[in-house]
Amino acid sequence: MEGSSEPPPPAAGETFSKNALKRELRNKQREEERRLKEEEKARKATEMQSAQPKRHASVKDDEDMEPTQYHENRLKYLAAQKSDRNERYPHKFSVSISIKEYIEKYGGLSDGEHLEKIIVSLAGRIMHKRSSGAKLVFYDLHGVGFKVQVIADARNSDLDETEFSKHHSNVKRGDIIGITGFPGKSKKGELSIFPKTFTVLSHCLHMMPRQKSAAAADTANVKKNRWVPGSIRNPETYILKDQETRYRLRHLDLMLNPEVREIFMTRSRIISYIRRFLDDLDFLEVETPMMNMIAGGAAARPFITHHNELNMRLYMRIAPELYLKKLVVGGLDRVYEIGKQLRNEGIDLTHNPEFTTCEFYMAYKDYNDLIEITEEMLSGMVKELTKGSYKIKYHSEGLDKDPIEIDFTPPFRRIDMIEELEKIADLSIPKDLSSEEANQYLKDACLKYDIICPPPETTARLLDKLVGHFLEETCVNPTFIMNHPEIISPLAKWHRSKPGLTERFELCVNKHELCDAYTELNDPVVQRQRFAEQLKDRQSGDDEAMIIDETFCTALEYGLPPTAGWGMGIDRLTMLLTDSQNMKEVLLFPSMKPQD
């Protein structure tokens, strides 16, 4: 009989040994136990499947849908809700504590501890959702780089079980929610909030990209293992990886990729540090016009616009320099401006037509003072952001290559432009750089070293190409390239001991210009002459050469005190301190071609 423990009787004439009988009995017992276990397992699986609410299938179906169908379904769901828009999109939710503060305040609770008498209100975006039966739903709630678990239990909710199940079946990843509940930790020790009320404040109508486990873990622990500026980032952990999508949909990029958020927080800290540094030196922050009658202050191609009321053509500013120096003439001895410049030029890894600079002007100082100020500002900034180091790691050759180390320890290296260029390139440049002889010599030098200088081949452009090829390539650590010729420095004051040169420096880091500064030219007669020389280059076809700004020259006639001026690109500095190889990474909304 099936299941009996009695051994079968031996056949006629057959005998069993006692050991053989025991063995056969044990085998049959094992088979019976295995069968019973499988039946019990199948029974439990059937019960669990029947107990699962229908919404689980719909959640799975949601994730398998085409994005367009998902979007349409979400719109239909909202349309089917009550007509009162105030319920679908509440006007306000009273948050009593931020997620960051919540973690700091209740992170020390013991495993399994609940503070049911304490009620708090949190809000944020749902990035993960997982269910455990009809009465228990887990969420990951994110806000400003921090994350806390939500354990929605029907036993704690103000909804009955049917309403609870229906309500949470329609909560999707990406929704922004508001929760009122009590703090606690799960039995496994994860800080959580146990909601009594659970309100969807804004619906995410698009399917959120699915996070992979490693990336999800990185997202959850971004504050535990916080990325420090100057260290190496790891874009491989990004959930949204496609660059084109990231730059066009920056809101989604910030939502999904924690390190991207850190880049722009670091950018903000850089600007705050500069403001604090200059404010401590008694500078006054000012604003100057974005539209000018003359595009002055730099050698660049401007954007052109039209003012309807005044019926005149205006230029978007390429630099605030001339306005800021007018303010120094007016008696504001120390002024600075942090703002956008617009230049109608190319886009590449280190250039964008719209970019941010800081410029300051300091009366009664010269470029030697600016060298000390630059070293103090940048070394102090790097040390503060990296929490104690002057050195940063940077992937100068791309993320697939080993990073280099850039050392901002002061003092920085200093080289004389013409002397160093002649030494490295084995040149003997004519002293009179305004002569035809000098122009031809530089043309021949570029030809000799296969350096391409697109027309027009003005002396200034040829010299700039040679400096970029020979000198900037040696400037990995911060290096001051000093004492530029007058012919390429129309706004800088003549050098007091080196004829034909100016008291100017460019700070180069990682082979790129970062700062430009000089003792300001304050002789109005010489300034007009310099502008006239630039006009010759413009007539030769160089549309980036400066034109005469008569209003500025007139302001100089009222007397500009001895002044030192300085400018720095915020975007390039942010690239260095965030290990970003593309300027688009540090611009929230970079210039992009329109999609078809």
Side-chain angles (χ1 to χ4, degrees):
M1 190 173 178
E2 186 177 350
S4 171
S5 61
E6 294 293 331
E14 184 180 359
T15 59
F16 287 116
S17 71
K18 190 179 291 185
N19 289 337
L21 288 170
K22 288 181 179 179
R23 251 194 325 271
E24 187 170 352
L25 180 62
R26 282 199 300 270
N27 290 337
K28 290 195 174 185
Q29 286 176 332
R30 289 194 192 104
E31 289 176 3
E32 180 66 13
E33 288 172 359
R34 189 181 303 114
R35 183 184 65 77
L36 291 173
K37 285 182 180 179
E38 288 176 355
E39 288 180 355
E40 179 66 14
K41 185 177 180 181
R43 183 184 64 79
K44 287 183 177 181
T46 303
E47 289 177 356
M48 289 180 65
Q49 187 174 2
S50 62
Q52 293 287 350
K54 294 181 180 179
R55 63 188 177 87
H56 284 286
S58 66
V59 169
K60 185 176 186 302
D61 291 343
D62 281 346
E63 298 298 338
D64 294 336
M65 281 182 189
E66 289 293 323
T68 302
Q69 183 61 45
Y70 182 93
H71 182 241
E72 290 175 356
N73 282 3
R74 294 298 287 155
L75 288 172
K76 289 176 183 177
Y77 163 74
L78 287 179
Q81 302 307 299
K82 294 180 180 179
S83 59
D84 186 355
R85 289 179 296 171
N86 295 342
E87 292 191 15
R88 288 183 292 165
Y89 287 92
H91 284 64
K92 181 180 178 180
F93 181 82
S94 296
V95 176
S96 65
I97 188 171
S98 70
I99 296 177
K100 176 185 177 183
E101 293 167 338
Y102 185 87
I103 293 170
E104 292 171 351
K105 189 170 184 177
Y106 299 110
L109 295 178
S110 302
D111 294 358
E113 183 179 2
H114 294 175
L115 303 179
E116 297 187 21
K117 293 183 179 180
I118 297 176
I119 300 299
V120 299
S121 296
L122 288 177
R125 188 183 295 274
I126 294 170
M127 300 304 290
H128 294 280
K129 177 183 178 182
R130 52 205 179 275
S131 300
S132 179
K135 302 177 183 179
L136 190 62
V137 187
F138 296 86
Y139 299 97
D140 285 349
L141 186 68
H142 288 239
V144 198
F146 293 86
K147 168 250 173 185
V148 68
Q149 180 174 251
V150 178
I151 302 180
D153 191 332
R155 293 173 297 180
N156 300 321
S157 176
D158 58 353
L159 302 173
D160 62 36
E161 291 185 10
T162 302
E163 290 176 325
F164 179 91
S165 178
K166 181 179 178 182
H167 178 74
H168 285 277
S169 68
N170 291 309
V171 177
K172 305 297 182 183
R173 291 188 304 118
D175 286 354
I176 297 173
I177 63 168
I179 296 170
T180 300
F182 59 86
K185 275 193 175 179
S186 67
K187 292 180 180 179
K188 293 183 178 180
E190 184 167 0
L191 180 62
S192 307
I193 182 170
F194 297 80
K196 291 182 176 294
T197 65
F198 188 109
T199 307
V200 178
L201 304 175
S202 187
H203 304 267
C204 181
L205 305 182
H206 292 275
M207 184 183 291
M208 296 283 283
R210 172 62 68 180
Q211 297 187 358
K212 296 180 180 179
S213 57
D218 183 73
T219 302
N221 296 312
V222 65
K223 294 301 171 183
K224 295 180 182 178
N225 306 300
R226 189 176 183 121
W227 171 76
V228 177
S231 62
I232 298 171
R233 291 190 300 108
N234 183 18
E236 288 303 312
T237 64
Y238 286 6
I239 296 148
L240 181 62
K241 296 180 184 291
D242 181 68
Q243 280 191 339
E244 187 82 5
T245 304
R246 288 181 49 233
Y247 300 153
R248 292 187 186 278
L249 303 179
R250 186 65 88 183
H251 53 281
L252 192 60
D253 188 27
L254 292 168
M255 240 184 262
L256 296 171
N257 297 330
E259 286 191 0
V260 173
R261 189 163 46 241
E262 289 294 321
I263 288 174
F264 292 103
M265 292 175 72
T266 298
R267 182 189 176 101
S268 179
R269 294 186 194 106
I270 289 170
I271 294 173
S272 295
Y273 184 95
I274 295 170
R275 278 202 171 96
R276 187 169 68 249
F277 183 91
L278 294 176
D279 289 345
D280 289 345
L281 292 175
D282 295 326
F283 277 82
L284 177 69
E285 184 173 10
V286 298
E287 293 181 346
T288 59
M290 289 293 298
M291 296 186 295
N292 310 305
M293 293 178 64
I294 294 176
R301 185 182 298 112
F303 286 96
I304 301 172
T305 187
H306 183 80
H307 195 301
N308 290 337
E309 181 66 23
L310 298 178
N311 191 27
M312 62 186 300
R313 183 169 71 168
L314 294 174
Y315 300 94
M316 304 305 292
R317 79 172 179 195
I318 57 175
E321 177 169 344
L322 303 187
Y323 280 109
L324 293 173
K325 284 193 276 194
K326 288 179 184 179
L327 296 179
V328 180
V329 171
L332 300 180
D333 288 348
R334 297 186 178 189
V335 293
Y336 75 94
E337 181 171 14
I338 298 174
K340 293 286 189 182
Q341 318 307 326
L342 298 108
R343 298 182 182 180
N344 198 357
E345 299 171 349
I347 300 175
D348 59 30
L349 294 180
T350 59
H351 293 86
N352 193 71
E354 182 181 359
F355 60 100
T356 303
T357 65
C358 172
E359 289 200 20
F360 72 75
Y361 293 82
M362 197 174 190
Y364 311 111
K365 300 292 183 180
D366 65 9
Y367 82 141
N368 295 304
D369 299 301
L370 294 183
I371 286 177
E372 295 178 4
I373 289 173
T374 304
E375 290 174 337
E376 183 183 353
M377 177 194 287
L378 292 181
S379 63
M381 180 191 299
V382 170
K383 189 173 183 180
E384 180 176 300
L385 293 177
T386 60
K387 303 187 184 304
S389 175
Y390 288 125
K391 299 177 181 180
I392 64 171
K393 299 288 187 182
Y394 187 77
H395 285 90
S396 60
E397 301 296 329
L399 295 173
D400 57 337
K401 305 292 184 181
D402 291 334
I404 61 170
E405 182 178 82
I406 301 176
D407 188 352
F408 282 85
T409 303
F412 300 161
R413 175 181 172 227
R414 307 178 189 187
I415 58 175
D416 186 283
M417 176 185 280
I418 298 299
E419 290 180 6
E420 193 73 12
L421 181 59
E422 289 182 328
K423 177 182 175 182
I424 293 178
D426 190 24
L427 300 175
S428 181
I429 301 172
K431 299 301 180 184
D432 184 7
L433 285 170
S434 62
S435 65
E436 285 296 326
E437 177 192 1
N439 181 264
Q440 187 58 51
Y441 185 88
L442 295 176
K443 285 181 182 177
D444 294 341
C446 287
L447 185 64
K448 175 182 177 181
Y449 291 107
D450 296 322
I451 299 172
I452 298 173
C453 179
E457 292 179 310
T458 62
T459 300
R461 289 167 61 86
L462 291 164
L463 193 56
D464 181 67
K465 293 294 182 182
L466 287 164
V467 169
H469 183 80
F470 287 106
L471 299 191
E472 291 182 4
E473 285 296 310
T474 70
C475 303
V476 176
N477 289 330
T479 303
F480 293 112
I481 299 177
M482 304 176 62
N483 305 328
H484 296 49
E486 291 181 3
I487 197 167
I488 61 172
S489 310
L491 298 170
K493 196 164 189 175
W494 60 87
H495 199 286
R496 66 196 79 180
S497 62
K498 297 181 178 181
L501 304 182
T502 61
E503 294 189 347
R504 176 185 177 188
F505 70 76
E506 290 177 302
L507 177 68
C508 287
V509 186
N510 187 40
K511 306 179 183 180
H512 291 288
E513 177 193 343
L514 186 62
C515 300
D516 190 8
Y518 36 83
T519 306
E520 298 294 335
L521 177 58
N522 60 346
D523 184 332
V525 175
V526 175
Q527 183 64 81
R528 281 193 176 89
Q529 292 173 350
R530 296 270 188 90
F531 279 148
E533 290 167 2
Q534 286 281 299
L535 189 58
K536 293 178 183 177
D537 284 347
R538 196 172 187 86
Q539 291 169 345
S540 299
D542 186 358
D543 56 1
E544 294 184 357
M546 295 186 194
I547 59 178
I548 298 175
D549 188 333
E550 189 57 43
T551 60
F552 173 67
C553 292
T554 301
L556 290 185
E557 292 176 344
Y558 284 88
L560 173 67
T563 299
W566 180 95
M568 180 177 69
I570 301 293
D571 312 298
R572 284 188 182 175
L573 178 60
T574 306
M575 288 177 65
L576 284 173
L577 297 182
T578 59
D579 192 21
S580 299
Q581 291 69 42
N582 189 335
M583 187 175 281
K584 287 185 172 69
E585 293 286 351
V586 302
L587 302 173
L588 280 169
F589 301 102
S591 301
M592 304 284 289
K593 288 184 178 180
Q595 291 179 304
D596 292 337

